[in-house]
Amino acid sequence: MNKHDADKRDLFAIADLAKEFGISTRAIRFYETKGLLKPDRVGSTRVFRRRDRARLILILRGKRLGFSLRDISEYLSLYDTDNSRTAQVQLLIEKVDERLGLLRSQLTDLETTIAELSEIRALADERIGPATDIDKAS
Amino acid sequence: MNKHDADKRDLFAIADLAKEFGISTRAIRFYETKGLLKPDRVGSTRVFRRRDRARLILILRGKRLGFSLRDISEYLSLYDTDNSRTAQVQLLIEKVDERLGLLRSQLTDLETTIAELSEIRALADERIGPATDIDKAS
DNA sequence: CATCAGGTTGACGTTTACGTCCACGGGTGT
DNA sequence: ACACCCGTGGACGTAAACGTCAACCTGATG
């Protein structure tokens, strides 16, 4: 909808991405030093393209999930790997499976936690009085 | 099943818990200094009861999910609050809701990630050849 | 031309979550 | 009495992930 729709553009300044994702430019530069991003350069100035923007999105999601940058780096390489030419597809499969295992156990943890909290919430809710038709009508 | 079934006992030494959960005694002491655990004392020696063991389980789960100790501390207080006597049940509800929101968005992130990885896995799997009856029979 | 916004590297500071090392005390087996 | 083993608290070290200057280089603009 937006004239500047980020998904359609192909070139981004470091500040563009920082603003778009609410992080600091320092952080972005840091990710680069860690090899998670590899923006092009024009002179010394970084120029980001869709590919790096996509990677950034994955990085941030990984962070929300509590993974370290090192973890995320490995994880990104799964996306990178040229599945069709890899000599070690088997190795790729193993890595993906390993990560899937981790994620699935996290999923279980999360579901348990959500269930527990929901119960607490229900109890508290009861205490304050369940919503009545009258309440809803107010 | 085990004679020493941990869930049935009521008293634990710091080393018991450390061993059971595969963490260091140093870590447990650290959690105490941060107020996450409040073991009884016999002289200067810590004595843990079921309550603190339960809290420890929650702490570790929180960590697996990528929360900070500070986050976890707040989270534990949700369990602590005496729902039936709280003067501010409403506040409790708000806090629980807030946390539930966080967890649910994590859940979404996780599901997305798992789906993406599954796809990658499927592609790689194809490349190496789908499992045949012969393969399975080998 | 002066200035100013935005970019760069480098060095150092900071917080979190422990690990490591230490000197010390208390109970136990021999 | 002596050697162990376990536990304790204090001090210091450390890795990760940035934040915070500082000093510098642009390119655009009034």
Side-chain angles (χ1 to χ4, degrees), chain B residues 99-110:
Chain B
R99 193 138 296 257
L100 275 175
L102 237 171
L103 295 175
R104 292 215 170 92
S105 81
Q106 266 204 41
L107 197 56
T108 305
D109 275 347
L110 255 182

Side-chain angles (χ1 to χ4, degrees), chain B residues 54-102:
Chain B
R55 290 175 72 91
L56 187 50
I57 291 175
L58 292 180
I59 292 171
L60 298 177
R61 196 169 70 199
K63 294 204 57 180
R64 283 198 302 277
L65 292 174
F67 289 105
S68 71
L69 292 187
R70 182 184 304 277
D71 287 340
I72 295 172
S73 171
E74 243 195 75
Y75 167 69
L76 284 174
S77 70
L78 299 181
Y79 281 83
D80 281 348
T81 318
D82 180 351
N83 317 10
S84 57
R85 292 193 211 293
T86 311
Q88 292 127 311
V89 187
Q90 188 54 47
L91 192 124
L92 172 61
I93 291 183
E94 278 164 22
K95 283 205 161 198
V96 172
D97 281 354
E98 181 189 327
R99 193 138 296 257
L100 275 175
L102 237 171

Side-chain angles (χ1 to χ4, degrees), chain A residues 87-98:
Chain A
Q88 291 127 314
V89 187
Q90 187 55 47
L91 191 124
L92 172 61
I93 290 183
E94 279 165 21
K95 285 205 159 197
V96 173
D97 280 354
E98 182 189 327

Side-chain angles (χ1 to χ4, degrees), chain A residues 3-137:
Chain A
K3 179 171 73 177
H4 302 292
D5 196 324
D7 291 332
K8 287 263 178 181
R9 285 167 53 199
D10 187 32
L11 300 180
F12 306 85
I14 190 169
D16 293 342
L17 295 183
K19 195 170 299 179
E20 180 178 358
F21 298 111
I23 61 183
S24 70
T25 61
R26 184 67 183 78
I28 295 178
R29 279 192 284 270
F30 185 69
Y31 298 154
E32 187 188 350
T33 71
K34 292 294 171 175
L36 302 189
L37 297 175
K38 286 176 184 116
D40 291 339
R41 298 279 187 148
V42 171
S44 66
T45 301
R46 274 163 259 252
V47 174
F48 297 81
R49 318 194 60 155
R50 274 202 298 275
R51 174 197 157 77
D52 277 309
R53 179 168 169 280
R55 290 175 71 94
L56 187 50
I57 291 176
L58 292 180
I59 291 171
L60 297 178
R61 195 168 70 200
K63 294 206 56 181
R64 283 199 300 276
L65 292 175
F67 289 105
S68 71
L69 291 188
R70 182 183 304 277
D71 287 339
I72 294 171
S73 171
E74 243 195 74
Y75 167 70
L76 283 175
S77 69
L78 299 181
Y79 280 85
D80 280 348
T81 318
D82 180 353
N83 316 10
S84 55
R85 292 193 212 293
T86 312
Q88 291 127 314
V89 187
Q90 187 55 47
L91 191 124
L92 172 61
I93 290 183
E94 279 165 21
K95 285 205 159 197
V96 173
D97 280 354
E98 182 189 327
R99 193 140 293 261
L100 276 175
L102 236 172
L103 294 176
R104 292 216 171 90
S105 81
Q106 267 205 39
L107 197 56
T108 306
D109 276 346
L110 256 181
E111 280 163 347
T112 305
T113 309
I114 288 179
E116 288 173 4
L117 277 185
S118 294
E119 197 167 324
I120 291 181
R121 209 230 116 109
L123 285 178
D125 222 19
E126 233 168 65
R127 261 278 119 198
I128 216 178
T132 66
D133 287 353
I134 295 180
D135 285 343
K136 284 176 183 169

Side-chain angles (χ1 to χ4, degrees), chain B:
Chain B
M1 298 300 170
N2 190 322
K3 179 170 76 177
H4 301 291
D5 196 323
D7 291 332
K8 286 262 176 182
R9 285 169 53 199
D10 188 31
L11 300 181
F12 307 85
I14 191 169
D16 294 340
L17 295 182
K19 196 170 300 179
E20 179 179 358
F21 297 111
I23 60 183
S24 71
T25 61
R26 185 68 184 77
I28 294 179
R29 278 194 285 268
F30 185 68
Y31 298 154
E32 187 187 349
T33 70
K34 291 294 169 174
L36 301 189
L37 297 175
K38 286 176 184 119
D40 291 340
R41 299 278 185 150
V42 172
S44 66
T45 301
R46 276 164 258 252
V47 174
F48 297 81
R49 317 195 59 156
R50 273 202 299 275
R51 173 197 160 77
D52 276 310
R53 180 169 169 279
R55 290 175 72 91
L56 187 50
I57 291 175
L58 292 180
I59 292 171
L60 298 177
R61 196 169 70 199
K63 294 204 57 180
R64 283 198 302 277
L65 292 174
F67 289 105
S68 71
L69 292 187
R70 182 184 304 277
D71 287 340
I72 295 172
S73 171
E74 243 195 75
Y75 167 69
L76 284 174
S77 70
L78 299 181
Y79 281 83
D80 281 348
T81 318
D82 180 351
N83 317 10
S84 57
R85 292 193 211 293
T86 311
Q88 292 127 311
V89 187
Q90 188 54 47
L91 192 124
L92 172 61
I93 291 183
E94 278 164 22
K95 283 205 161 198
V96 172
D97 281 354
E98 181 189 327
R99 193 138 296 257
L100 275 175
L102 237 171
L103 295 175
R104 292 215 170 92
S105 81
Q106 266 204 41
L107 197 56
T108 305
D109 275 347
L110 255 182
E111 281 162 348
T112 305
T113 308
I114 288 178
E116 288 173 5
L117 276 185
S118 295
E119 197 166 325
I120 290 181
R121 209 231 117 108
L123 285 179
D125 220 21
E126 232 168 66
R127 263 276 119 200
I128 216 177
T132 67
D133 288 353
I134 294 181
D135 286 343
K136 285 177 182 168
S138 74

